[in-house]
Amino acid sequence: MGEAVVLPLWAFLILAGFAGWAVLVLLLVPGMRWFFRRRIKLVLHQIGGRLRIELPSFKLTRRQVLIDRLFHDPKVQAAAAAHAVAGNEALGEIWRRIDRYAREIVPSFNAYIYYRVGYALARAAARALYRVRIGFVDEAALARIDPKSTIVFVINHRSNMDYVLVAFLAAEHATLSFAVGEWARIWPLQQLIRAMGAYFVRRNSGDPLYRTVLSRYVQMASEAGVTQAVFPEGGLTVDGRLRSPKFGLLDYMLKTFDEREADGRRDLVFIPVGLNYDRVLEDRSQLLKLHPETPRPGRLRGLGITAGFFLHNLSQIVRGGWHRFGYACVNFGTPFSVRAHARERGVHFPSLSDAQRRDEVGIVAARLMDAIGRVIPVLPVSLVASILVRDPAHAMSELELKAAAHVRMRELEARGAHLYIPRHDQDYAFGVGLRMLILRRIVLEEDGLFRPAPEQLETLGYYANAISHLDAPACS
């Protein structure tokens, strides 16, 4: 009775592990769940009266419920059956693919993470790197939007900072659900992005089954009133210019849109958002894509370049000569109502053939890209770059360059462009732009004359191209 029981060490460790797991599952996890649920409810209560755009119940639905709803959607199941017959595949295998696609796409929105973690990180990152400004906002038109509408922010895509900047600036008014490319599907960024309510999109996927699952999720979210943010260009600009729009996500949203107001149907309202930076972190890496034959730096060299970039900016901070990366500015344009557009053109999207709908989507996309282009802010670097790029071989004095900048500002204002003038001082705006270009050695100063560095002409053109479309007449 009193004899000691001797256990091997490995058996003791297994039993101790099970005991620790039991304590974690039965005692700690329920307490943590209660704590976080309480915090989430508190956050929802605090932001409920602050948001101008309604937070739909769809965003607060458990992720597994949304996955099941998407999996059992009649259109998805019909596509699965058709795909199984056409490809002579087992239906069970098709269902497994659908489940994998649904889990890949559907986010897991967490209000606490969005407003207490994501917002704080976005604000800190944006303000640490840039002087962040909101320039133009069409307040009167925004105030006229029906609060029951589904809002979609359509944005030009210059940098991966776009996600951070727009989410930060729009957080006081709406929770945004971004369409994010596969580049972000890395741990732990993937988990954070999902918790922020974003959904992942495979660009140029050739799998019709995947496109069906993605389109149904986008349509379900749109019909439920989820506020979304999309980049119609489908990727970052390569040369600084606006790219032609991709039709994928726009087509998904419009395909099932019914402009009739019966049964509480929501309007679909696109808000054009134009953004610009005095410095884009990816500018030179994007310009490399214009030269596919140029050898790319290896991983070690890439890390060395990154470390050198960090140390260079750190040294500027220590010396007191660091001015962050200049200004980052966002403008919000006039909302575009799809209901009003459909009635104006006499179209009913659900009844259109694929060819007819593609033509109509093209018209909507063109109007949206034109609206985005017209609200892209003119920032100091783009302003000065657009002057110097005209005649790169011509060296100009500061007085001559400043006079040309004032003429350029008047030209742009006459065309209806939105200029962001820091401190409302045009001379200061010119000085800021020129200083940024000199600090980056894109512009050289010799004997009081300024000219572009020959090896940096593409980089100079990149920033001039950000506003080059403003010289063209607007689409009707």
Side-chain angles (χ1 to χ4, degrees), residues 219 247-256 357-358 361:
Q219 289 157 8
F247 292 172
L249 292 177
L250 293 178
D251 183 51
Y252 297 158
M253 293 176 187
L254 295 174
K255 186 175 183 177
T256 58
R357 191 182 69 253
R358 184 171 181 81
V361 172

Side-chain angles (χ1 to χ4, degrees), residues 74-138:
K75 293 182 180 180
V76 172
Q77 287 297 310
H83 197 83
V85 171
N88 196 26
E89 295 183 60
L91 191 57
E93 179 59 33
I94 299 295
W95 283 341
R96 279 190 287 273
R97 283 172 57 191
I98 290 174
D99 183 70
R100 185 170 70 250
Y101 292 154
R103 292 182 185 279
E104 177 184 312
I105 294 167
V106 175
S108 54
F109 177 74
N110 184 304
Y112 185 83
I113 291 179
Y114 190 99
Y115 280 97
R116 292 293 183 263
V117 179
Y119 174 74
L121 289 175
R123 178 179 59 186
R127 289 179 171 175
L129 296 175
Y130 297 100
R131 295 180 173 90
V132 180
R133 301 291 186 268
I134 294 179
F136 169 77
V137 180
D138 193 339

Side-chain angles (χ1 to χ4, degrees), residues 152-455:
V152 181
F153 291 87
V154 283
I155 314 162
N156 65 305
H157 206 3
R158 290 190 64 77
S159 168
N160 287 314
M161 275 294 297
D162 298 347
Y163 299 95
V164 175
L165 196 63
V166 176
F168 159 49
L169 293 177
E172 290 295 321
H173 308 288
T175 57
L176 301 183
S177 179
F178 280 97
V180 181
E182 292 179 278
W183 63 269
R185 292 190 61 202
I186 55 174
W187 186 91
L189 185 60
Q190 176 176 253
Q191 285 70 23
L192 177 61
I193 287 175
R194 276 211 177 98
M196 294 282 288
Y199 59 96
F200 291 98
V201 176
R202 296 185 186 182
R203 304 294 183 187
N204 304 316
S205 173
D207 185 347
L209 191 61
Y210 170 80
R211 292 200 300 270
T212 298
V213 177
L214 175 62
S215 67
R216 284 305 297 146
Y217 172 76
V218 172
Q219 289 157 8
M220 287 166 55
S222 299
E223 291 161 6
V226 174
T227 302
Q228 301 177 60
V230 300
F231 299 95
E233 296 166 283
L236 295 177
T237 177
V238 176
D239 60 1
R241 301 179 191 274
L242 283 172
R243 300 175 66 176
S244 299
K246 304 287 186 182
F247 292 172
L249 292 177
L250 293 178
D251 183 51
Y252 297 158
M253 293 176 187
L254 295 174
K255 186 175 183 177
T256 58
F257 175 76
D258 194 329
E259 77 284 357
R260 295 171 295 187
E261 297 185 47
D263 303 324
R265 294 187 182 97
R266 299 173 183 270
D267 190 8
L268 181 61
V269 179
F270 292 106
I271 298 179
V273 179
L275 47 80
N276 200 1
Y277 303 85
D278 272 335
R279 179 170 185 176
V280 175
L281 300 177
E282 306 94 335
D283 52 8
R284 290 190 170 104
S285 62
Q286 288 300 109
L287 286 169
L288 270 178
K289 296 178 181 178
L290 297 174
H291 307 283
E293 73 286 351
T294 302
R296 300 304 192 263
R299 181 171 297 181
L300 287 177
R301 176 164 170 74
L303 289 173
I305 292 172
T306 303
F309 174 78
F310 175 78
L311 291 173
H312 173 71
N313 284 280
L314 183 62
S315 68
Q316 287 189 325
I317 294 173
V318 172
R319 294 197 307 266
W322 196 64
H323 303 280
R324 286 179 274 189
F325 296 132
Y327 289 91
C329 185
V330 179
N331 289 342
F332 296 85
T334 304
F336 176 92
S337 166
V338 179
R339 176 175 288 163
H341 172 80
R343 290 174 176 174
E344 176 188 325
R345 291 190 55 79
V347 298
H348 180 62
F349 283 99
S351 66
L352 299 177
S353 67
D354 288 345
Q356 290 172 327
R357 191 182 69 253
R358 184 171 181 81
D359 290 341
E360 290 297 329
V361 172
I363 292 171
V364 172
R367 290 188 60 178
L368 290 178
M369 290 306 299
D370 180 64
I372 292 169
R374 282 186 278 113
V375 294
I376 289 178
V378 178
L379 292 186
V381 167
S382 292
L383 173 72
V384 177
S386 69
I387 299 167
L388 289 167
V389 80
R390 292 172 177 172
D391 187 1
H394 177 58
M396 305 174 70
S397 67
E398 183 174 357
L399 185 60
E400 184 182 3
L401 195 52
K402 184 183 293 186
H406 282 278
V407 171
R408 179 67 171 148
M409 285 186 241
R410 289 195 295 271
E411 289 175 354
L412 290 167
E413 287 174 341
R415 292 181 178 275
H418 299 283
L419 282 69
Y420 178 73
I421 307 297
R423 304 180 184 178
H424 303 286
D425 185 334
Q426 292 186 342
D427 287 346
Y428 177 76
F430 160 76
V432 167
L434 183 60
R435 181 184 66 197
M436 284 286 297
L437 292 170
I438 292 172
L439 285 173
R440 295 192 63 192
R441 299 182 179 87
I442 296 173
V443 171
L444 303 176
E445 180 184 5
E446 297 174 352
D447 300 325
L449 298 177
F450 301 89
R451 62 178 179 84
E455 68 280 6

Side-chain angles (χ1 to χ4, degrees), residues 42-62:
L42 180 61
V43 169
L44 289 174
H45 177 73
Q46 290 174 346
I47 68 174
R50 192 178 73 197
L51 293 181
R52 295 186 183 179
I53 299 174
E54 176 187 0
L55 184 62
S57 60
F58 185 90
K59 287 185 75 72
L60 303 177
T61 303
R62 290 182 61 189

